Amino acid sequence: MTTAHTFAAKQLTSGYDERIILDNISLSIPSNQMSIIIGANGCGKSTLLKTMARLIKPSGGEVVLDGKSIHTIPSKQLARTVGLLPQSPVVPEGITVADLVGRGRYPHQSLLKGWTKKDYEAVAEALDLMNISAFADRHIDELSGGQRQRVWIAMALAQQTDILFLDEPTTYLDITYQIEILDLLTDLNKKHGTTIIMVLHDINLSARYADYLFALKDGQLVAEGTPATILTSALIDDVFQLKCQVIDDPVSQTPLIIPIGRHHTNK
Amino acid sequence: MTRLRATMPSHVPKHLWKVTVLFVILLIVSVMASLAFGARTIGWDGLMDGLFSPDVQSHEAIVVRQRIVRTIFSFMCGAALGVSGALMQSVTRNPIADPSILGVNTGAALFVVCGIAFFNISTANEYIWLAIAGAMITAIFVFTIGSLGASGATPLKLVLAGAATSAILSSLVTAIMIPRTNVMDEFRFWQVGSVGAGNWDLIQLFIPFLLVGIAIALLTAPALNALALGDDVATGLGVNTGMIRLFAAFAGVLLCGVATALAGPIGFIGLLATHVVRLVIGPDIRYILPLSAFVGGIILTCSDVAGRLLGSPGELEVGILTAFIGAPILILITMKAKIRAL
């Protein structure tokens, strides 16, 4: 079971080059829960995730882990607490599943020790959690998109961090695989207490799977809270400029967004 | 534990031991061939006399002893170029990166030409520092140009910067050389890589650079493995990507610069050795680096032997040979292995 952490953004300003995308955002990630960042394209949700996961250096403010700015923590040490699965990782030619997942052990290894029993166990467990032990020796190129994504998540799991960032982990996947990935991440969160923060495009899946939502618009945090408390048609209109009805998801009893377009409406 | 190991065999590449044994055998064969063949072919007895009976002073034994130096020198050059190629491919995450693509060879050449043209420099001791300085400055220049902008030194930007720089530098080399016939004569000799000039002094000069370069390479290997998954993943795994690139590139440039200074520009070894190794052992850089040294040495030594046999009674410089052997094999590898971005 993982330990609890405080992880927060303080007056964070960030962007690419001179362009400011995130403007003075402060938020605190709930420990041991699954948080999802939602918002329209270009609202800064991916930038927020990347800045908190130290891929982008903020131009103002700081990201604070257990009271310390993450930029003052040695990178390997930080990588034992905070893990990250970016949107488009590179698959080296000819790499096997086990080799790729094993590379997630990097922050736990030193030059002198080499592979320890702990490393083998962590990799075996990660493969097991993602149900991919059977393909440990297969080449990544032979796998389907959904299987590949499970391999990448297993790589991040082998890192054994208490906090895990995922940037749109279900993009380009069929609905079946999207549900499978989200279920596996929920298992991880329930079994290990891993704090998960991710960006998702699908509001309804976000509403179903998130313990906590952050809604972003134009680089500002406009709402945060549990899906049931914050997801209203007013919020969706504000964040996405979309008229909708919110009903109860008959399966999960979470809010379900029914968009209202210009056509196919009864009224 | 054994069960866990059984499920995790890929942390040691499948055929590692078989491959290592094969390479050792090839090494022995290439060394023997290098000692035996040349303008004069030496038989088994002469070979054994030259190697193991220091008091036998037959002509054959003396020829063998002379060839020992050349063989060691060519193996060292090949090893340096092999590791350098592997490092540069890792750093740029580009499967066809090698010293010449990053402009590093040309930078070394420009400095040597300047040395010959303006400072009357003509010995290896002086070449080596000029070539290293040239290689380093070029690498830093290319790296700086390639990392302009927010996304940092991406593989594509590095290769583009290298190609552009290389074009400028080689036109400078030509501009300096053409009006000066004496420079042309001296440089032309150096410009075609050859290991025939190898001697104990050069080897002694070479050793510290080779050891430092390979040591840095091996130290950066685990981080380079993480870097192979993309900069974002590597950063998430706690790799300081800028620092690792700098160290690995430094080692790659050092190895290539020294080999270039001592033997002249020898192409394709870095590219060839690394691809052969990658094909048989897979993508783990911890194994690719040392095996590329092996294979680079073997390929260069064999090419040198072939050059001596083909050019007999004189010899064909190994630089010409490696280009002839390397280019078609590289095309073959490229077609077969459907090489894409690393």
Side-chain angles (χ1 to χ4, degrees):
Chain A
M1 206 63 181
T2 58
T3 42
H5 293 279
T6 62
F7 194 68
K10 293 197 172 157
Q11 279 124 42
L12 208 57
T13 299
S14 177
Y16 302 94
D17 297 318
E18 299 300 302
R19 206 157 58 95
I20 289 173
I21 295 175
L22 285 188
D23 196 6
N24 203 16
I25 281 198
S26 295
L27 55 82
S28 182
I29 304 288
S31 190
N32 310 93
Q33 298 203 9
M34 183 118 111
S35 300
I36 296 179
I37 305 169
I38 56 168
N41 287 331
C43 71
K45 54 189 190 301
S46 201
T47 309
L48 173 64
L49 187 117
K50 284 179 181 163
T51 310
M52 290 199 79
R54 74 196 171 285
L55 293 185
I56 302 175
K57 216 178 163 190
S59 50
E62 54 182 0
V63 179
V64 180
L65 171 66
D66 297 328
K68 270 192 197 166
S69 168
I70 56 166
H71 287 281
T72 64
I73 303 173
S75 52
K76 231 174 157 172
Q77 186 190 324
L78 182 63
R80 292 193 285 266
T81 308
V82 182
L84 155 76
L85 183 60
Q87 226 180 97
S88 39
V90 181
V91 180
E93 169 97 30
I95 196 168
T96 60
V97 171
D99 187 359
L100 195 144
V101 175
R103 291 188 187 190
R105 294 302 294 165
Y106 175 79
H108 296 274
Q109 291 170 327
S110 68
L111 279 167
L112 299 175
K113 274 195 302 183
W115 274 75
T116 63
K117 188 170 181 262
K118 257 184 114 177
D119 294 320
Y120 286 104
E121 282 168 357
V123 173
E125 195 195 348
L127 290 173
D128 198 39
L129 271 168
M130 287 295 122
N131 285 326
I132 47 173
S133 304
F135 345 117
D137 292 326
R138 296 264 294 276
H139 286 239
I140 309 281
D141 319 300
E142 303 165 12
L143 305 182
S144 72
Q147 291 168 332
R148 266 185 205 216
Q149 191 61 357
R150 270 146 63 195
V151 173
W152 280 110
I153 295 174
M155 194 270 315
L157 294 190
Q159 199 176 338
Q160 292 188 321
T161 58
D162 294 346
I163 299 168
L164 178 60
F165 284 95
L166 302 111
D167 197 353
E168 297 193 24
T170 58
T171 313
Y172 307 125
L173 296 181
D174 287 345
I175 181 80
T176 319
Y177 294 128
Q178 293 187 27
I179 299 295
E180 181 184 68
I181 296 286
L182 291 171
D183 275 345
L184 284 167
L185 289 171
T186 308
D187 288 343
L188 175 73
N189 170 259
K190 297 266 181 289
K191 273 190 213 159
H192 292 251
T194 306
T195 304
I196 293 175
I197 307 106
M198 59 185 160
V199 168
L200 275 193
H201 260 300
D202 191 310
I203 314 169
N204 288 328
L205 289 180
S206 300
R208 182 183 287 186
Y209 281 93
D211 296 315
Y212 205 81
L213 284 178
F214 293 98
L216 257 61
K217 184 194 169 188
D218 299 333
Q220 304 277 350
L221 183 66
V222 290
E224 61 174 305
T226 61
T229 53
I230 69 160
L231 269 190
T232 58
S233 55
L235 181 79
I236 298 300
D237 194 12
D238 182 26
V239 171
F240 293 97
Q241 275 86 53
L242 176 75
K243 300 271 176 258
C244 71
Q245 279 188 19
V246 179
I247 61 168
D248 246 16
D249 184 330
V251 174
S252 59
Q253 270 70 54
T254 51
L256 184 69
I257 307 301
I258 309 293
I260 303 170
R262 289 189 297 109
H263 295 286
H264 307 291
T265 47
N266 289 330
K267 290 165 199 171
Chain B
M1 187 61 209
T2 34
R3 191 192 64 84
L4 280 176
R5 260 187 203 287
T7 62
M8 308 292 330
S10 347
H11 292 294
V12 174
K14 255 185 215 158
H15 310 296
L16 183 64
W17 293 114
K18 280 185 227 164
V19 167
T20 310
V21 169
L22 178 74
F23 286 160
V24 170
I25 293 170
L26 284 176
L27 169 69
I28 294 169
V29 170
S30 65
V31 166
M32 288 305 205
S34 175
L35 295 179
F37 297 120
R40 185 192 171 102
T41 303
I42 310 290
W44 183 256
D45 293 342
L47 210 58
M48 290 298 114
D49 281 349
L51 279 175
F52 303 114
S53 319
D55 26 291
V56 177
Q57 290 301 324
S58 70
H59 183 66
E60 293 201 323
I62 290 167
V63 170
V64 168
R65 277 173 213 139
Q66 282 170 348
R67 286 183 189 159
I68 291 176
V69 181
R70 179 184 190 140
T71 305
I72 294 175
F73 183 67
S74 81
F75 192 80
M76 287 168 71
C77 283
L81 292 170
V83 174
S84 176
L87 284 172
M88 290 188 184
Q89 289 176 24
S90 271
V91 167
T92 59
R93 220 180 297 127
N94 184 320
I96 55 160
D98 83 342
S100 57
I101 287 194
L102 295 185
V104 174
N105 261 343
T106 333
L110 178 65
F111 270 54
V112 173
V113 171
C114 287
I116 297 171
F118 305 122
F119 305 102
N120 289 321
I121 278 168
S122 56
T123 68
N125 278 320
E126 296 162 318
Y127 278 168
I128 202 170
W129 294 109
L130 275 179
I132 292 173
M136 291 281 169
I137 290 172
T138 315
I140 291 169
F141 181 75
V142 169
F143 209 79
T144 313
I145 302 270
S147 26
L148 290 179
S151 49
T154 63
L156 183 66
K157 278 156 76 186
L158 272 181
V159 170
L160 285 177
T165 309
S166 191
I168 297 168
L169 294 182
S170 60
S171 68
L172 281 178
V173 168
T174 317
I176 293 172
M177 219 165 55
I178 282 187
R180 298 177 178 79
T181 41
N182 62 322
V183 178
M184 229 161 140
D185 287 343
E186 239 185 281
F187 184 72
R188 200 186 293 133
F189 174 77
W190 180 83
Q191 198 180 22
V192 181
S194 165
V195 292
N199 58 46
W200 287 117
D201 288 343
L202 288 190
I203 290 176
Q204 276 174 15
L205 201 60
F206 204 155
I207 287 175
F209 291 104
L210 188 64
L211 291 182
V212 169
I214 290 181
I216 297 175
L218 293 178
L219 289 176
T220 55
L224 289 177
N225 260 344
L227 200 62
L229 307 179
D231 281 33
D232 287 354
V233 175
T235 307
L237 288 171
V239 174
N240 184 335
T241 52
M243 198 66 103
I244 285 301
R245 278 222 165 83
L246 199 66
F247 273 113
F250 171 82
V253 169
L254 184 77
L255 289 169
C256 142
V258 175
T260 307
L262 298 181
I266 297 174
F268 284 105
I269 297 292
L271 219 53
L272 215 52
T274 315
H275 280 290
V276 169
V277 171
R278 213 189 290 281
L279 273 183
V280 293
I281 211 77
D284 193 332
I285 191 78
R286 291 171 304 163
Y287 301 101
I288 290 178
L289 282 171
L291 290 174
S292 290
F294 248 92
V295 173
I298 292 168
I299 295 177
L300 191 59
T301 307
C302 290
S303 306
D304 183 40
V305 173
R308 278 183 260 161
L309 289 176
L310 291 174
S312 172
E315 57 182 65
L316 212 55
E317 274 91 353
V318 72
I320 298 175
L321 245 296
T322 56
F324 261 97
I325 304 171
I329 293 185
L330 183 75
I331 293 170
L332 208 77
I333 293 175
T334 317
M335 290 193 309
K336 274 204 171 160
K338 60 173 170 84
I339 290 164
R340 48 154 200 243
L342 285 179

